[in-house]
């Protein structure tokens, strides 16, 4: 299937999922996700969002999710903080 392909032969969404899998293999305590859904179509966004939420719950991983979309942040759940250049506050 996709195993024999080079990274440049994968779609952006596939590359992001591979990067997530590579990070999870190391059993992290904290996972930093930066604009994970920005290059995915809506159906893949929903699938990936649910998959990440399940992983976070299953393995009790703290996740810092960076996004410009309040909608994405609210769908991920948990605590939401807003950052300005000089201040961080709870949304």
């Amino acid at each position: 299937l996709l195993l024999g392909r080079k990274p440049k032969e994968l779609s952006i969404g596939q590359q992001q999922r591979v990067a997530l899998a590579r990070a999870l293999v190391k059993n992290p305590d904290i996972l930093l996700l930066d604009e994970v859904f920005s290059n995915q179509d809506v159906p893949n966004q929903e699938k990936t969002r649910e998959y990440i939420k399940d992983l976070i719950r299953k393995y009790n991983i703290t996740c810092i999710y960076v996004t410009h979309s309040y909608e994405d942040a609210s769908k991920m759940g948990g605590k939401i903080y807003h950052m300005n250049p000089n201040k961080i506050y709870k949304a």
Side-chain angles (χ1 to χ4, degrees):
L1 294 163
L2 301 176
L3 189 59
R5 293 189 189 177
K6 303 281 186 199
K8 66 182 178 185
E9 297 171 329
L10 299 173
S11 72
I12 298 296
Q14 290 168 332
Q15 290 176 21
Q16 288 177 323
R17 289 189 292 278
V18 168
L20 178 61
R22 291 178 69 190
L24 291 170
V25 165
K26 297 185 181 241
N27 296 316
D29 293 325
I30 299 174
L31 188 61
L32 174 60
L33 303 175
D34 186 10
E35 297 286 354
V36 176
F37 311 119
S38 62
N39 293 312
Q40 294 184 7
D41 57 11
V42 174
N44 279 327
Q45 287 178 2
E46 293 298 325
K47 287 181 201 173
T48 305
R49 183 179 295 113
E50 290 306 313
Y51 180 70
I52 290 170
K53 286 167 52 175
D54 289 344
L55 287 172
I56 290 168
R57 281 191 291 262
K58 183 176 180 179
Y59 296 106
N60 196 29
I61 301 170
T62 297
C63 181
I64 299 172
Y65 175 67
V66 179
T67 184
H68 290 92
S69 168
Y70 185 81
E71 182 180 346
D72 278 349
S74 63
K75 286 181 179 179
M76 289 297 290
K79 298 175 186 171
I80 299 175
Y81 291 87
H82 183 83
M83 293 176 61
N84 280 335
N86 298 318
K87 190 175 180 182
I88 298 174
Y89 55 93
K90 192 167 183 175

